[in-house]
Structures are given as C-alpha cells and as structure tokens.
Amino acid sequence: MLHSEVELETIVAVATPRGRGGVGVVRISGQHVTHIAASMVGKLPSARQATLATFKDQNNNTIDQGLVIYFPKPHSFTGEDVLELHAHGGPVVMQLLLDAMLIHPCVRQASAGEFSQRAFLNNKIDLLQAEAIADLIDSHSKTAARCAARSLQGEFSKKINTFIQQLIELRMFVESAIDFPDEDIEFIEQAKIKQKLLIILDEMKQILTNAEQGCLLRDGVSLVILGEPNVGKSSLLNALAEQDVAIVTGIAGTTRDVLQQKILLDDIPIHLIDTAGICQTRDVVEQAGIERAWQQVAQADLILHMRDATQLNENGIQAQLNKHSKEGQKIITVNNKIDLTNLTPQVINEKDTVTVNITVKNKQGLDLLKTLIKETIGFNETASTDYLARGRHVQALKQAKEYIQRGLSQLKNTKAVELLAEDLRLAQQVMSEITGEFTSDDLLGEIFSKFCVGK
Amino acid sequence: MKQPHTFDVIVVGGGHAGTEAALASARMQANTLLITHNINTLGEMSCNPAIGGIGKSHLVKEIDAMGGIMAQAADHAGIQYRVLNASKGPAVRATRAQADRVLYKNFIRYALENQPNLSLFQQGVDDLIIEGEQVAGVVTQIGLKFYARQVILTTGTFLGGKIHIGLDNYVAGRAGDPPAIKLAQCLRALPFRVDRLKTGTPPRIDGRTIDYTQLQVQPGDTPLPVMSFTGNVDQHPRQVNCHITHTNEATHEIIKQGLDASPMYTGVIEGVGPRYCPSIEDKVMRFSERTSHQIFLEPEGLNTHEVYPNGISTSLSYEVQYDFVHSIKGMEQCHILRPGYAIEYDYFDPRDLTATLETKFIKGLYFAGQINGTTGYEEAAAQGLIAGINAACVAAGKEIWCPRRDEAYIGVLIDDLITKGTTEPYRMFTSRAEYRLSLREDNADLRLSERGYELGCVSEAQWQLFASKRTAIEQETQRLRALWIQPGTPAAEELNHKLGHSITREYNGLDLLQRPEISYSQLVSLAYFASPQVAPQVAAQVEIQTKYAGYIARQKQEIAKAQQHEQTKIPAYFDYASISGLSAEITQKLTQIKPATVAQASRISGVTPAAISLLLIYLKKSQQETV
C-alpha cells in the first residue's frame, strides 16, 4: 500500500511503445505542466483541443512539429494537469522531447505504471481499472488487448458485483435469523439456503473458469523441455517457435545453458525453456547447465519430458524428474524420433501419465502436442475469455469458493448457522477486496428494508 | 458541617449509564458524586422491562466481567429468563431476562447507596462550569456548585425532551418526569454537533383485564439461565410466564384511519426513530402486505398487574390507541393504564468524542448513553462503564483504557459511534461484530476480567472466582490434550462403538472433541476420558473453545493483520488539507472525526483505499521530516 517513492512531483514518460512508429506520444502530468507547456510550445493550448505546435528545447531549437493536447485537472486521466505531445515516432525524437522536459528540476521520469497509480490515488479509476490499464499496456496479443479493454469498461466488475449481490441476499437471510430470532419473519428454510449456495457455487465456478482463461492470456505459462542429451529438445524448441532459436547438432550436449523463447500458442503466451541434457558428467560446464535445468523444472508450470523413442527401454531420468517436480506440476512425456521406430503419432492417456509420440524431424505429431499443451494448462477454447483477470482476482475467487464450500458443509450441522454466517462473511470479504467494501451497517440496512423487525 | 463540594468525578444522571459510570469510578477509588433530579428513579427502566437479548447480553456480560452491576441486578430482578438462539451455536446465543421494575430499581439503589467513595445528591443540573477548555464542575437548578475535573453527562432522553401523543405534545424527560431544558440550552451553546432522535413506548395494560385463556403461553427456559458470572439461580425471584398475541386486519385498518392524528405521519416529529424498533403504525404502513404482527405481553413485575405489550409502541392519539388495542385478541376488554407515547430528545454527534467517550472540545467532559445517539439500557450501561473507568483513570493520573473491536462488543459499540456516528438510535447486533465467533457471551470474563482487575474495578472476590475458573479450564484442556487413544485398544473399541466407525490412528481428547459428532459429555462418558469433577461452565468453555478452534485461529490472523493499521497512529493535529489529492469530502470527514489510528480512518464511511494510501504516504513523509 505504501509507496514512499510517490512524492507527487510532475512526471513524464513516453506513452507509446518503444521502437519506431508513425506517431509517438510523450505524456506529462502534475502541477508544473502549464509551466512546461509554455516553455516547450510557447503558450498553453486550449483545453482538450488538438493544436498544431512546434516543440522546442530549452535553447529554443526546434525538435519536431506535431499536435499538443492539454487536459486541465481534474478532467484528465490522472486527475492532475496533463499535457500530451504527439510527435513523429522514433526513439531519437522521443528522447529529445523527454530530455527537454527533464531539464526542469521539478520534473522527473515516471516509473512504470505511475500514471495509473496517480489516476488511482486521485479516484479517477478503481483498482480493477488501474490493473486493467496495466494489462492493456503490456498485453501480449490482440485477444488480450480486447479482453483488457472490456475489463476496463467494468465487465469483470459487473460480473463480480452480481455475484456479491447474491451473497448479500443470502447473508441477509442468515444474519436476520441470528439477530432477530424472536421475530415472526419468514426465515428461509435450510433446503433453500442450500439451493441458493449451490447456485452461487455454480456461478463462481463459471467466473473462475473465465478468470483463469484471462489469467492464462495475460501471464501465459512457462514450459520447460527436459530430457537426456540428444533426444531433440532444441529441435522441438525451434519447431514450436517456428524459427531457429537454438543451435541444433547431432552432438549430445550442444545446449549447455538454459535457452528461452516466448511464443504464442493460440494467443496464449508461452515461455519456452530449453535446457541442457540431463546426464552423468564430469564436465563442470555441463554440470552447471544441468543444475540450472533442474532449477527451471522447479519453477515451471508444465514440463515436457522428452525421450528418444528408439531407447524407451532404459530407465532414463524418470526417477530424478519425480524427485525434482512438485505436486500440481503437469508433465507430458514426449517420445521423439518415432520415424525411426514403428510407433505412430498419437496421444496415449494412462492412469497417471500422458504421453505423445512425435517426430520433430518430419513434423509429425506436433499439432497433437500443441493441442495437448493447451489442454493440459487448462485452456478451454469454448470458454469465453471476456475477463482478463489478475492472479489476485483468481486467488480471491478461489478462496471465496472454498469458504462457500465449507459453509455448505456446515449446513449439515444445523447448530452451526453462525459458522455458515462466518464463511459467508469471509467469502464476501475476499470478494470485496476486488471491488470495494461492504459494511455490517449496509447489511443491517438490507435486513431492515426487507423485513419487519421490532417486537 | 457543610457537605463537601469537590469531587474527583461527577456523574450527572442516575439511569443505566449513570449508575455504571458512578459505580465504576467509585470502585476505582475515585471520590465520586452521582447527581440526579430524582433519587427515587435511580435505575429506572423507562421502556421495556427486560435486560439482555441478542447482542445486548454480550454487553451485559462484558460489563459484569468488568465488575459492573447490571447482570447482578438482572439476576436479582428477573422474573423470566430465556436463552435466545439456543438452537444455534454458542457465539450467537443470548440471555434475556424479563425484569421486575421495582426489584431491579431497588437492587441498583441499594448498590449505589452502599458503594464506598460514592455520594448521591438529588438536584437537577442546569449548567456546566467550564474553565477554558477544561470542565470544572456543575451548577444545579438552585445554583449549588459542585466541582470536579471529570464530569460525565448521562442525560438519556431528558435533554430537550418532548413527549408526543397524537398531535398533543409537551416537554418532559420521560412520562412523569421534567426534562432538562436549561442544560440542553447550555450544551447547545458549546461547539458540539447536535440533532434530534425519537423513540417510542407502547401503552401499558392492566393485566387483570387481559383474557389470557385465548393466548399462547411463553414460559421461561429450564434450566434457568443466569446472567452474571458470579450469579446463581437462587438469586432469582419467582418466575412467571409471558404470553403472545397478534394484531389483525381490523387493528391495521384502525391504525391506517388514525394516521391523520399521528405526529410522525403529519411531520410534527422531526427526530429519527430506530428502524429495528418501529412503531406499530410504521410496521403497518411499511409492510402493508403483512396482515398480522406479533405482540409479547410481558408482566412488569411480581407485585403489579401492569403489562408491557411488546411490539405496539405508538405515538398515535389516545383514542386511536384505545381502539386498536381493543381490536387485538385477548385484549378486547382491556384497560389502558398509561398511554403509549413517542419522545424526542437531543443527542450529540458521537464523532465529537474520543474512544474514552471524552469530548474532543472540552477536556474532562464525558458523554455516555442516549446522549450519544444510542438506545437500550445495555448500550447505555456499557458506555457509562467506559466513561466511569476512564474518568477515574484520568483523575488518578493513570493510563486510559478502551477495548478494541476484537476484544469486546463494548469496543465495537464505541468504535462504531465515534467513527461512523449514527443517524438513528444505535442498537447493538451480533452482525456488527466482525469477530463474532471470538466475542461470545460465554467468554466475556475470559476476555476482560484480567483487565478489569488490573484497572481496579473488579473486586478481589470476583477475581478469585474467575481465576479458579480459568485454571480449571486450562487443566481440563491439558488433561484432554494429554490423553491419547490408540486404535485396537479396549478404550478404542468403546469409542468406535460410539462413533459408528473405527479409528485408524491415535487421537487425543481434543482431536476427538473437535469433531462435530462428539460432544464433551459424550467424550467424558467414555471410561478412558472420564473426567474428575468439572464445573458445567468449565466443561462448556473447553467444548466451545475446541469446537471453534479452527475458526478462531483464522480470526486471530485477521485481527493480527488489522493490528498493523491499528498501531499506525495519526497525530491529533494532523493537517489533512495538506494532502493534495484527497477529495474535499474526505478531507472534511477526516478533519472532523480526527481518527486516532489509520485503522479507524479506514472504517470511516466514504474513505477510500486510495485515500488511505495517500494518508499513509503523507504520514510516512511527515515522520521522515521530523526525524
């Protein structure tokens, strides 16, 4: 909560992505904006109107020509005075403009997300929206951008709010049963409470699925390719990345360090990690590489355990993998080089394992593998991905679901209505962390408006 | 010899707030004066003759744990006892005692008269003596001056009190008592924010004229509950029944026809009444789909025929009252002893108080009870206790004390008042307490007795009783924790038989007790766990603590989390206007309320998380600047 670095000075940053673009925007926010505007474009432009201007540095040399827009407070994105300079894109121009502003001692470069933070601190946006903006900025794909835009308009908030409304209604019944036992108001029957709880749970699960999809889209997953030397790990990396990222040779131990590549698999960002082959070795460099490979395994969401289909009889590294992998980590066994065997490309689901037969060389089974990866990380193509949720939201939803499930089990113990009430309170509390507070007085207000109490 | 005129603490008012305040202060060795307009009405129950109920019994037992009088008085005056929510869990159970007004009043008066360090004096108080920003005493209606550096005002409904019956109204503090008009004027001249509230009371009925044969009987509980931790059933007087009847459509029609003479519905009353204790006309109008409302006929005492019809508080005209009462089953022939009425009175915005109930403008001046916008004897008594304790602390130069929200319902009550204020008469409910599972009526003594003893408001005798109970609870818990039962042993066979399935690993007694299907009595009925002599309250405590253990542990975490902001203090003269980015509304609220901690600030309605992070930023900044 505490951001001691925020001094509420005037901050400036390039608002458009790095690199060469048609238009680049430099945005400045804070109490010294009018002063900066005067020095850079000669005079303060009219509020909220795009004005053609010449941008000059402190020595009155022209940097560029473009549009300038002035947003006086509080009607700006941050709630402070904001000035936007729309210049020709390109790193040099952007840097010159930045420098011209930073020459003023009252101005400093904004840190990441600081504009959003200002907006949040000035009540221009709520936490959800602030995060959605952050998501919008670094969205990895078009889909993610679309979802972030929707979330910004409050789709996610809306969904969560209807859910909270249902919780409140239920709490109203439970709390009035506790606080007004002597009143002849119709208390909801246990069966009905149970029914309502089940409906809420169902709804929760749906939101959770959607939110998890959103999370996948935003954060993606990390995928480690692991195996003995020369089973084709780097070839698989290149095949999945659809470019030659890794050096591939027939010599075992070509990859000695961890190699990383980001790819998109149906819009899901996947962080591919190729590792050194696991083997017994005295080579210190190789040993270090292997050590790093196991470190990557510990942090991975998904592990592709690659094997040479021609040498499946050997025990390999299965035992070591079992030791290093953690509960909940997903593992796909990939048998490569099936072109050298009589195996066919297919997915084999067994009790605790899933295996796919492929040959990277002939590109057979790769689509099977991709589909399997998507399935394994829980990407559901039919689920709607309207909500780009933060891990925090998913966490809150999961916790709320747990409380409600526990509350349901408390219902069996008829004496424990206060425990059900506690679980519902906790569920609502974690939900409120997403959208805002709800007090006990609000709850009493609901009760009084609905029931005639007061004997 | 002339009587002394100088005291450590002066308490103005002899109601439920005043008596607890005066007794607490005197117990803590402060030389205390209780001044009331009428000694005969000390401890008067002006409205419903009952103590306790949901949320309220929690307060009563906390007051009791701090050495207060209310629970003991209820034990000596209760003519019917019930445990509400008995079918639910212990955290929401609440004891309620129907009290004999006279017995109750007598017990309170006896306690006041026999309390060392406490003097009583009968005179109305007209004015305060104020020196600069410090209170220095009071002036009575005949001009007598009493001096003290700590003055507690517990004026109830008397400040500017006005009674309404139909469109008739007259000034009064309660039916039969004069109001405090001059004192109200004097207080209105001070910088406090003042407003009007309203409360009501039903017409009282002569019990001999009620036909009980048609009505449903509501007996008290057996075994008889006890209110005080030090009380016992032998203290209870003779027990009686209550009865239940209902309004009907004819009643509702009469009420609707009579609204043109209602001071509420014609706008004569400006004060706001409680939503949870509406008048019968409010119930009929607001819930027009209901064709019947329930009424409890509660006897007012053992030596009177007067009956309190709980549920039909009204300010309709006497004629309409007469007609609608006679339309109710069992009351067709009844005689009204006293008309029902509404009373409007002044209250002061409690956000002008600190957590000790001292006013922020005048040092040494405390407000407790209805003057702060609350309703109920228990809420008043709880505030009286805190004001009394702290006045005595300040008088003795000791550190002040107020329980936090996670320690007591009293803490919830006071924090709600001073942080959120109130626009209707404030009543306690269990749903107001976020730590409800930890704040139970059964463990009020465990939560507060030690503090009360340290402060000096719990007697040595009460302390000894409590200490031995606490030791017994610890011993029994230890005993059960140390007893392990192994599968395959004869003891396990007996247990398996009870459980209906076999245990497969070893368990200790507490593990087993944590299961919902095993009660304490079932557990100790097994030979292996057979207990030595354990008092029922001790057994109950061991059982409750064990059953709730998981939930309580979770709440403890929550409390610890909240503590961080609770410990971040805000200087009293912090300049909120210096925080750029705070909205004008929030700046105004914070400036007015002057929260003592960041936690309190966060509980003020309308204060956003963004405002709190700004506040934290500026607090940190100002700390760095001063270092």
Side-chain angles (χ1 to χ4, degrees), chain A residues 175 179 182 418 423 454-455, chain B residues 283 294 430-431 436 548 551:
Chain A
E175 291 293 337
D179 267 346
D182 255 4
E418 77 281 9
D423 283 321
K455 60 173 198 174
Chain B
K283 291 191 210 177
Q294 120 186 300
T430 70
S431 53
R436 179 163 65 191
Y548 275 157
Y551 281 86

Side-chain angles (χ1 to χ4, degrees), chain A residues 86-98:
Chain A
H86 296 233
H88 293 99
V92 178
V93 174
M94 291 293 112
Q95 194 56 51
L96 285 174
L97 287 173
L98 270 187

Side-chain angles (χ1 to χ4, degrees), chain A residues 1-4 6-8 120-123 175 177-185 403 406 410 413-415 417-419 421-423 425-426 429 433 437 440-441 443-445 448-455, chain B residues 54 82 84-85 87-90 92 96 246 275-278 283 286-287 290 293-294 296 298 310-311 429-432 434 436-437 516 548 551 554-555 558 580-581 608-610 612-614 616-618 620-621:
Chain A
M1 258 306 239
L2 194 61
H3 304 285
S4 55
V6 180
E7 306 272 1
L8 302 178
F120 171 62
L121 290 177
N122 289 323
N123 293 322
E175 291 293 337
I178 289 173
D179 267 346
F180 303 96
D182 255 4
E183 306 286 345
D184 57 347
I185 52 183
Y403 287 132
R406 191 171 65 172
Q410 293 296 354
N413 183 0
T414 49
K415 283 210 164 192
V417 58
E418 77 281 9
L419 296 184
E422 174 74 357
D423 283 321
R425 179 182 77 85
L426 290 169
Q429 187 174 299
E433 281 167 19
E437 63 158 357
S440 65
D441 213 54
L443 186 67
L444 283 166
F448 299 141
S449 66
K450 181 108 178 182
F451 299 124
C452 178
V453 296
K455 60 173 198 174
Chain B
I54 304 290
R82 285 170 60 215
L84 308 178
N85 277 339
S87 65
K88 304 184 183 99
V92 295
R96 183 180 187 271
H246 293 87
R275 284 173 299 175
Y276 41 81
C277 189
K283 291 191 210 177
R286 283 186 43 218
F287 298 93
R290 294 277 299 264
H293 294 280
Q294 120 186 300
F296 292 81
E298 301 171 343
N310 199 340
F429 293 106
T430 70
S431 53
R432 293 196 195 273
E434 56 274 47
R436 179 163 65 191
L437 296 180
Y548 275 157
Y551 281 86
R554 167 101 202 21
Q555 286 204 333
E558 203 180 322
S580 71
T608 59
I612 292 296
S613 36
L614 274 178
L616 283 167
I617 292 165
Y618 274 78
K620 192 166 181 187
K621 233 176 101 180

Side-chain angles (χ1 to χ4, degrees), chain B residues 479-622:
Chain B
R479 187 183 76 88
L480 291 178
R481 187 180 287 129
L483 275 180
W484 290 88
I485 192 163
Q486 313 287 345
T489 57
E493 285 309 308
E494 199 189 346
L495 173 66
N496 294 341
H497 186 71
K498 261 229 156 97
L499 284 173
H501 59 84
S502 301
I503 57 165
T504 53
R505 65 170 183 89
E506 63 169 3
Y507 289 102
N508 71 21
L510 290 186
D511 293 338
L512 294 172
L513 191 52
Q514 213 159 4
R515 297 174 167 221
E517 67 267 30
I518 295 185
S519 69
Y520 177 85
S521 60
Q522 283 170 323
L523 184 70
V524 297
S525 72
L526 298 169
Y528 188 73
F529 290 104
S531 71
Q533 276 303 310
V534 170
Q537 308 98 301
V538 172
Q541 208 42 240
V542 172
E543 178 164 25
I544 294 166
Q545 285 179 5
T546 312
K547 297 275 185 219
Y548 275 157
Y551 281 86
I552 302 277
R554 167 101 202 21
Q555 286 204 333
K556 280 208 173 121
Q557 284 174 9
E558 203 180 322
I559 291 167
K561 218 169 110 188
Q563 278 293 308
Q564 293 175 344
H565 278 180
E566 210 71 66
Q567 280 157 2
T568 312
K569 303 252 186 297
I570 307 174
Y573 294 99
F574 188 76
D575 181 14
Y576 293 98
S578 73
I579 304 182
S580 71
L582 271 192
S583 75
E585 186 203 346
I586 291 178
T587 307
Q588 192 194 0
K589 275 189 174 167
L590 289 169
T591 308
Q592 269 176 4
I593 297 168
K594 294 191 179 60
T597 63
V598 171
Q600 195 194 343
S602 70
R603 290 191 291 264
I604 296 168
S605 73
V607 173
T608 59
I612 292 296
S613 36
L614 274 178
L615 177 59
L616 283 167
I617 292 165
Y618 274 78
L619 277 174
K620 192 166 181 187
K621 233 176 101 180
S622 67

Side-chain angles (χ1 to χ4, degrees), chain A residues 152-212:
Chain A
L152 190 60
Q153 287 156 8
E155 285 268 342
F156 185 73
S157 312
K158 237 187 267 171
K159 194 78 194 166
I160 295 288
N161 277 329
T162 32
F163 170 69
I164 286 179
Q165 274 313 313
Q166 288 171 299
L167 259 186
I168 289 172
E169 201 196 324
L170 199 57
R171 286 192 67 201
M172 185 183 74
F173 282 112
V174 174
E175 291 293 337
S176 57
I178 289 173
D179 267 346
F180 303 96
D182 255 4
E183 306 286 345
D184 57 347
I185 52 183
E186 295 126 45
F187 291 119
I188 188 167
E189 300 151 40
Q190 201 172 309
K192 219 165 169 192
I193 291 186
K194 192 175 167 187
Q195 193 194 344
K196 280 178 185 261
L197 277 178
L198 285 172
I199 292 172
I200 291 179
L201 257 186
D202 217 51
E203 202 114 327
M204 286 232 84
K205 281 180 191 154
Q206 247 174 50
I207 301 178
L208 253 180
T209 315
N210 285 337
E212 274 174 342

Side-chain angles (χ1 to χ4, degrees), chain A residues 61-292:
Chain A
N61 297 325
T62 299
I63 301 170
D64 197 359
Q65 202 178 41
L67 294 175
V68 59
I69 311 174
Y70 169 54
F71 303 92
K73 69 177 180 186
H75 304 292
S76 71
F77 167 64
T78 58
E80 303 171 330
D81 283 339
V82 167
L83 191 75
E84 283 183 6
L85 303 183
H86 296 233
H88 293 99
V92 178
V93 174
M94 291 293 112
Q95 194 56 51
L96 285 174
L97 287 173
L98 270 187
D99 289 347
M101 294 191 185
L102 288 168
I103 199 93
H104 299 271
C106 51
V107 179
R108 69 167 169 81
Q109 181 120 29
S111 51
E114 204 171 355
F115 284 93
S116 302
Q117 192 184 26
R118 290 269 170 105
F120 171 62
L121 290 177
N122 289 323
N123 293 322
K124 299 299 283 188
I125 52 173
D126 66 24
L127 197 53
L128 262 185
Q129 288 173 314
E131 287 176 355
I133 287 175
D135 287 335
L136 190 62
I137 292 165
D138 68 28
S139 49
H140 296 281
S141 68
K142 282 181 213 148
T143 318
R146 177 172 60 82
C147 290
R150 282 213 201 170
S151 182
L152 190 60
Q153 287 156 8
E155 285 268 342
F156 185 73
S157 312
K158 237 187 267 171
K159 194 78 194 166
I160 295 288
N161 277 329
T162 32
F163 170 69
I164 286 179
Q165 274 313 313
Q166 288 171 299
L167 259 186
I168 289 172
E169 201 196 324
L170 199 57
R171 286 192 67 201
M172 185 183 74
F173 282 112
V174 174
E175 291 293 337
S176 57
I178 289 173
D179 267 346
F180 303 96
D182 255 4
E183 306 286 345
D184 57 347
I185 52 183
E186 295 126 45
F187 291 119
I188 188 167
E189 300 151 40
Q190 201 172 309
K192 219 165 169 192
I193 291 186
K194 192 175 167 187
Q195 193 194 344
K196 280 178 185 261
L197 277 178
L198 285 172
I199 292 172
I200 291 179
L201 257 186
D202 217 51
E203 202 114 327
M204 286 232 84
K205 281 180 191 154
Q206 247 174 50
I207 301 178
L208 253 180
T209 315
N210 285 337
E212 274 174 342
Q213 293 298 314
C215 231
L216 269 184
L217 279 174
R218 201 184 66 84
D219 298 332
V221 291
S222 67
L223 188 160
V224 166
I225 307 172
L226 189 84
E228 290 171 80
N230 212 17
V231 293
K233 297 183 293 297
S234 300
S235 306
L236 179 63
L237 175 79
N238 287 345
L240 289 174
E242 291 170 6
Q243 54 175 301
D244 286 343
V245 183
I247 302 164
V248 179
T249 69
I251 305 160
T254 303
T255 307
R256 293 204 163 191
D257 198 356
V258 168
L259 203 68
Q260 313 203 358
Q261 178 66 19
K262 272 199 174 177
I263 65 160
L264 284 182
L265 200 61
D266 282 2
D267 290 335
I268 310 167
I270 295 198
H271 198 66
L272 278 178
I273 299 152
D274 185 18
T275 59
I278 307 291
C279 60
Q280 297 289 337
T281 175
R282 291 210 175 145
D283 182 333
V284 190
V285 180
E286 239 185 315
Q287 274 177 358
I290 291 167
E291 186 53 39
R292 287 194 187 186

Side-chain angles (χ1 to χ4, degrees), chain A residues 254-408:
Chain A
T254 303
T255 307
R256 293 204 163 191
D257 198 356
V258 168
L259 203 68
Q260 313 203 358
Q261 178 66 19
K262 272 199 174 177
I263 65 160
L264 284 182
L265 200 61
D266 282 2
D267 290 335
I268 310 167
I270 295 198
H271 198 66
L272 278 178
I273 299 152
D274 185 18
T275 59
I278 307 291
C279 60
Q280 297 289 337
T281 175
R282 291 210 175 145
D283 182 333
V284 190
V285 180
E286 239 185 315
Q287 274 177 358
I290 291 167
E291 186 53 39
R292 287 194 187 186
W294 288 123
Q295 282 169 8
Q296 290 300 325
V297 164
Q299 294 160 14
D301 295 311
L302 176 63
I303 300 156
L304 296 188
H305 173 199
M306 275 194 96
R307 302 191 298 183
D308 186 333
T310 62
Q311 298 170 30
L312 288 181
N313 306 333
E314 291 166 33
N315 266 339
I317 60 165
Q318 189 64 47
Q320 277 170 281
L321 179 57
N322 290 346
K323 203 179 81 191
H324 281 92
S325 65
K326 286 176 301 187
E327 217 180 292
Q329 264 181 338
K330 285 151 189 156
I331 302 173
I332 297 174
T333 308
V334 181
N335 294 333
N336 189 23
K337 307 186 186 176
I338 56 165
D339 51 320
L340 304 176
T341 69
N342 52 6
L343 293 172
T344 51
Q346 62 170 341
V347 176
I348 305 142
N349 276 299
E350 277 162 53
K351 197 172 159 238
D352 295 319
T353 61
V354 54
T355 307
V356 58
N357 294 337
I358 64 165
T359 161
V360 178
K361 199 169 135 200
N362 299 340
K363 298 209 183 326
Q364 281 184 311
L366 279 181
D367 286 339
L368 285 178
L369 175 62
K370 284 181 187 172
T371 310
L372 188 61
I373 289 172
K374 281 188 284 176
E375 276 173 23
T376 313
I377 60 179
F379 183 70
N380 182 347
E381 299 202 48
T382 55
S384 123
T385 48
D386 288 348
Y387 320 107
L388 194 65
R390 285 260 168 188
R392 186 174 73 88
H393 303 151
V394 175
Q395 209 44 45
L397 280 167
K398 275 188 181 160
Q399 222 175 348
K401 199 181 94 188
E402 258 170 53
Y403 287 132
I404 291 174
Q405 266 160 346
R406 191 171 65 172
L408 250 175

